[in-house]
Amino acid sequence: MTLVRPIPSAVSDFSPSALEWGRFLDLLVGYAQSATGKQWLLGLRPSTDLDWIRREHALAGEMRKLLAAGVRPSLGSLFDPSEALAKSRIEGAALEAEVIRKVVSLGEDISAWSGLMSVPPGDLADGLTRLRELSGELLTLPLKPLIESLRSRILPDGSLADDASPELRRIRREMERQQRAIEESLRSALRRFSEGGSTQDDLITIRGESWMRCSGETRTAHFSRLS
């Protein structure tokens, strides 16, 4: 499956240099908001299919109407989610938080586009026929409740919130309990070092996700952090 539509009746025996085709594509790509859009534009070829050409011109004309009305659809999140969706169907598989966030952003933009096509602004209701036809089943997808549910579980930095699932909440609470127990054990060890004159500072810091460091004037001890 691909989001990139093929060019019908594409012309293969033409001179790109004579038509300055590369410069033309570079110009178009500069307006693309997504990697998928750039991919499609870079794959453009001249076509002899007049119906397709007329349809593409009509779509471009309808988009110009939207832009003239001050509407700027968000298209930057567009990507092909097929791989992520296929993985999500595998029992026991898990998607990275960043992938989930990309899917959620895509869903939000699709939902916004569906709303726009369902209730066009101003007097454009009868002027977006081809765009509405192109949108097809997107207009009937009940995405908003799902997107709101997923968005509430993802923090701004892309990580999952504690209440994303009961199991995640339990695991994180257990990790916090273990960390407190380890820190207390390290403090006890430092106090023993201090009593023996080995250190003067009772200091524990955490570096990243893998190390805890205890620093003293005459001794520095490194301890692996359990996770």
Side-chain angles (χ1 to χ4, degrees):
M1 177 181 177
T2 176
L3 296 181
V4 180
R5 294 177 293 137
I7 307 298
S9 304
V11 178
S12 57
D13 56 343
F14 73 101
S15 173
S17 58
L19 294 178
E20 295 189 344
W21 195 252
R23 292 182 61 187
F24 170 64
L25 294 184
D26 288 343
L27 176 64
L28 288 181
V29 166
Y31 292 98
Q33 296 184 32
S34 68
T36 298
K38 292 179 181 180
Q39 179 186 357
W40 187 76
L41 289 173
L42 290 173
L44 278 177
R45 295 292 183 271
S47 172
T48 59
D49 188 325
L50 291 180
D51 288 338
W52 179 80
I53 293 172
R54 293 189 181 102
R55 185 166 58 250
E56 294 301 305
H57 277 282
L59 287 170
E62 291 183 7
M63 282 300 301
R64 284 198 297 271
K65 291 180 182 179
L66 281 177
L67 296 176
V71 179
R72 296 291 187 274
S74 177
L75 303 173
S77 68
L78 185 61
F79 80 106
D80 187 346
S82 301
E83 183 177 345
L85 293 177
K87 183 178 179 181
S88 70
R89 295 188 178 99
I90 301 174
E91 185 175 356
L95 297 178
E96 297 292 334
E98 181 59 28
V99 175
I100 296 175
R101 186 166 64 169
K102 288 178 61 178
V103 173
V104 170
S105 295
L106 176 62
E108 286 177 334
D109 286 348
I110 291 175
S111 182
W113 174 261
S114 297
L116 176 63
M117 290 295 100
S118 298
V119 186
D123 58 352
L124 294 180
D126 297 326
L128 305 177
T129 305
R130 291 190 178 275
L131 283 176
R132 288 168 56 85
E133 178 184 342
L134 182 66
S135 301
E137 296 180 358
L138 293 180
L139 301 182
T140 61
L141 289 177
L143 287 176
K144 191 172 182 179
L146 173 61
I147 296 305
E148 290 178 348
S149 176
L150 289 174
R151 180 61 76 186
S152 68
R153 290 167 166 77
I154 301 178
L155 300 177
D157 64 357
S159 62
L160 293 177
D162 286 350
D163 59 356
S165 73
E167 181 65 10
L168 178 62
R169 185 187 302 110
R170 184 193 68 77
I171 291 173
R172 287 185 173 174
R173 294 295 177 267
E174 178 62 19
M175 290 176 63
E176 290 172 357
R177 186 192 67 78
Q178 290 186 11
Q179 180 176 323
R180 287 194 297 269
I182 293 170
E183 289 178 353
E184 181 55 36
S185 177
L186 292 176
R187 288 193 180 93
S188 296
L190 279 178
R191 283 193 292 270
R192 291 195 297 271
F193 285 142
S194 180
E195 291 169 358
S198 298
T199 65
Q200 291 184 3
D201 300 322
D202 184 5
L203 175 64
I204 298 176
T205 60
I206 299 175
R207 281 187 172 181
E209 293 295 324
S210 57
W211 291 97
M212 298 184 69
R213 187 183 67 177
C214 305
S215 302
E217 183 178 280
T218 61
R219 179 189 296 269
T220 299
H222 295 269
F223 299 85
S224 295
R225 179 184 179 187
L226 299 180
S227 59

